[in-house]
Structure formats: C-alpha cells, structure tokens
Amino acid sequence: MVAQARWVGTRAWRLLRVLGERTARGARAARRAWQHSLQLRVGATTLVVTGVGVLLIGIFLVNQISAGVLRAKRTAAVLQTTAGLDTVRRVFADVSPGDIPSQNAAVTSAQSQLAATGSQAGLFTITIESANTSVSAGSQNSPEIPKSLRTLVQDNNLAVEYAPIPQPNGSTDQTVPGLIVGEPVTTQNGVFELYYLFPLSAEADTIALVQRTVLLAGVGLVLFVAAISLLVTRQVVRPVRVAAKTAERLAAGDLAQRIPVRGTDDIARLGESFNAMAGSLQRQIRRLEELSRLQRRFTSDVSHELRTPLTTIRMASELLHSQREAFSPELARSAELLQTELDRFEALLADLLEISRYDAGVAHLEMEVTDLCGVAATAIDASQVLAKRQGSEIILHAPAQAVSVAMDARRVERILRNLLGNALDHGDGQPVVVTISADDHSAAVTVRDYGVGLRAGEAGLVFNRFWRGDPSRSRLTGGTGLGLAISLEDARLHGGWLQAWGERGVGAQFRLTLPRAAGDVLSSSPLPLEPDSMVDGPGSAS
C-alpha cells in the first residue's frame, strides 16, 4: 500500500509538472504574440472596451425596462385594490353588527364578487382578513399574508409588498413571484383588511426575455465590432508588415528591394516615400562603396609604390648615418633625424599595407594553440626599451598554469605590443599593469595605465584611424595612429573583443578577450572592463 501510494504521488507530481510547463509555455507564447502583433492588441483592446460599454448599457436597459414593467404592474394593482373597496362596503352594508355567521357569509360573498370582476392588472387572488378572531376571513386555503404588510394595513395604510405567493389555480405549496397590495376597509361591522395577490410570472418571463435579448444582442455587437476592428487593423497593419520586411531586406544588403504600391491613399504615399528613400540610400551607398574602393586601392597602390623609393632613401640614409661622426654637428643631427623619420615612415607604410589587407578582405589567420601568458611575456620584453625610456615599469599578473588559446600568435603579440605602447605613451611614467585570466570558454588580457585617461565618450573613438584624444599632446613614441585600429581588426579576426575604459586623470584600461577554441562565440569575459576601484594603485592588481 505504501509503494502504491508513493507511485500515485509520483505520477500526480509528474502530471502537475507537465501541466505547469505547458501552462508556462502557453503564457510565454501568448505574451510574445501580444508584444509582436499590433492587430491582436487592437482587436483585444476593442473587444474589452466594447464589451465593458455594452455590459454597462445592457445593465442600464434591463434595469430600466424591469423597473418600468414592475412600476406599471404596481400602479394597476393599486388602482384595482382601491376599486374593490366599494364592493366590500356594499356587501357588508346589510350585515348586522355582531352577526358572526352573516359576517362570514359576507366575506365569502365579497371574495367571490371581487374575483369575478376583470382587471387591467391581470390575474389576482383575493384575501380578506379581520382582527376579529370570531370571523372566518376567507377559506382555509387562503395564502398567508406577511406580518410586516398586515401591520402596515392595520395601521390604516395602503401597503404594497413583493413576496412569493401561491401559484394561481395550483397547489399552495408551489409559489411564484408576486405582488401583494393591501388596504383597510371600514364597515359598520368593523375594520377588514382587503388583500390582492397578483402573480408576477408574466412580468418575470418578460424581464427574462429582455435580459436574454440584451445579452445576445450585446454579444453579437461586441463580436461584430471586434471583427470590424480586426479587419480595419489588418488593412493598416499589412502594409506596415510589408514595409518592415522590406526594410529588413534592405538592412541585410538587398538594396533593390521596394514596397509594392497600389492606389493613391496615405499608405500608398507612405510606400512611395519609402521607395524614394530606399532609392536614395542605394545611390548613396553605391557612391560611398565606390569611393571606399577607390580609397582602399589608392592606399594600397601608394603604399606599394612608396616601397621602392623608400628603399633607396633608406640606403642613402644609412650611409649618411654611418658617416655622421665626420660631419659637422648640424649635419650629424640632420642625419639622425632623417634616420628616425624614415623609421616612422616605414612603420606607417607597414600599417597602411596591413589596413589595406583588412579593407580588401584578404587578411587570414595562422591558427595554433599557444600559451597566452608566453605571448604576453614576449610582448612585454619587446616593450622594455620603451618602458625604460618613459621611466615606467611593466607589471605582469598571470596565472601559474599555461592559458592555452587557439590563435595567431603573431597578431595577438602585435595587439599586446600596441596596447603596451599606447599605455606607456600616455601613462605619464606610472607603472603599467598587465593582467591575464581565463575560464573554460574565453581568455582575457587587460592593460592598465594610470596616466591622463579618457574623457567621457572617447572610449568608443580610440580605435578610429588616426584619432588622437589630445591633438596638442606631443607623441613621445612617434606612433602612426593606426596601431589601435589594426589591433581591433586583429581581435575581430579572432572572433574576440577589444574594448577600452578610461576616466580623465585616473587612467585607462584596455581589455582583449579571445575565445579559447577556434569558432567559439564569446558571451562574457573573465576580466572586468572597468577596474574594481577607479583610484586603485598599480600594486593593487591581482
């Protein structure tokens, strides 16, 4: 029994879990449909608003009609009761006071005569009551009159009350909704109470018919209005959906896409305007593509063509530089400056050629699983001469174990050398901290300096070609202005991220994040882009 109960409990729990999952999926699907469908929102809103309006109007109409029907019934019943007073008085006129048998006979006669008369108020039953217990007021099957109503009548008032009454010409056990009107009748034999009992079955049927009619008419009206709103909304939403799909194709690069235009209404004019805008964009994009192609070709051609004269100038410069000790001080200084500027010029040509390869889409990776810590150490060693010249120290924080990453080691080393050169150039002689970390899917390197930093908004501009944060600041390293742009392209070629953070007067930090396996897509980085403390010192890194 225990095992069976446990089995039943397990099955019930699984059933509840399945029902919960299906309910959650249905709720998510309904939420997505509500968020993505304008037609559904308009239709549902129209349905709700129209339903509430029809409900309120229906309740008002039913209440007014019901009140009118009952008010007419009550008025007719009161008039009928008032008219019956003369008949009761006439019957009791010939009855001697104290003659109980005659009074009983008069009661029966009055009931018979009143019941035989017609009425605009419809069917009714007559009951005559008396405070004199010796008088038998009506038959034994006479309905019981509510005490509250009798009290009012005995106080010499015309009283009306809605109460269940026996069904006319039926069993006294079967009751129907009814209206009871009572009025005192003063005769020489005392005061009698005359009650008219009017069944409200016909009125109840009429009110029920009105309620059903209003309900069905309201439901039909709500559905009709909802259908109209959906139809009208469809006429508006359908062209908008076509425009959205066309815009998506345009954004995907299919510049020949256009919206079909029919008619001359507002939607048609919108389509014409959209098509005109698309045509203008197509022409502008093609013009810009042509200009970009010409620019890339010009850069590539000029870079290659300058190689030959640069080689000749380099040979002459090296000859002059090697003989500078025999020159006058002015000529010797000129030979040194010529050699330095040729080095910068050669570096600029190399960077331009590299950029032209990226622009032409011919750059490729030579992937190999390599230790990122070793690549970083090599880049740091190559930057030590510059660090000494700047009076800065490069601090490396790396894990003890190797961080294996599938990468092009030459390009990653170039990224790190560019980041280190930038940090040393703008670090104002402060230490530069390099931090390496990794998780199962990605590896990251941050290069932190404590120099001038970046202004708000400049973190997204530092990777632009030839961009300088402070044009008035002299470049100590003689950079080409293309290092960070090339580094960004190298990082993208690996499927990685290269991001910058900085604050004026606090310093800057660059973060390189690479997937550890080729082809993986990054979703997070093991190192934060913004330092834990914006005022931390170089020794606080970990």
Side-chain angles (χ1 to χ4, degrees), residues 370-381:
T370 309
D371 180 16
L372 182 60
C373 297
V375 174
T378 302
I380 292 173
D381 291 340

Side-chain angles (χ1 to χ4, degrees), residues 239-296:
V240 174
R241 290 176 177 171
V242 173
K245 291 181 180 179
T246 305
E248 291 175 357
R249 296 190 185 101
L250 284 171
D254 189 359
L255 301 178
Q257 285 292 324
R258 297 294 185 270
I259 296 177
V261 178
R262 300 181 183 88
T264 58
D265 56 8
D266 295 335
I267 299 297
R269 288 199 296 273
L270 174 63
E272 293 174 353
S273 300
F274 184 92
N275 291 339
M277 178 193 68
S280 177
L281 287 176
Q282 184 179 18
R283 292 189 295 272
Q284 294 293 336
I285 290 174
R286 287 179 176 175
R287 186 179 298 113
L288 291 174
E289 288 177 347
E290 181 65 19
L291 290 174
S292 178
R293 185 184 65 81
L294 292 175
Q295 181 184 12
R296 290 195 300 268

Side-chain angles (χ1 to χ4, degrees), residues 152 155 179 249 288 308 508:
L152 292 174
D155 291 339
L179 173 65
R249 296 190 185 101
L288 291 174
T308 300

Side-chain angles (χ1 to χ4, degrees), residues 42-52 222-223 226 229:
V42 172
T45 303
T46 303
L47 186 66
V48 172
V49 173
T50 306
V52 172
V222 170
L223 295 178
S229 68

Side-chain angles (χ1 to χ4, degrees), residues 82-119:
T82 304
L85 296 178
D86 294 336
T87 301
V88 176
R89 292 192 185 97
R90 187 172 58 253
V91 170
F92 279 92
D94 299 331
V95 178
S96 300
D99 188 354
I100 300 302
S102 298
Q103 291 181 10
N104 291 331
V107 169
T108 303
S109 176
Q111 288 179 338
S112 301
Q113 292 183 34
L114 292 174
T117 59
S119 171

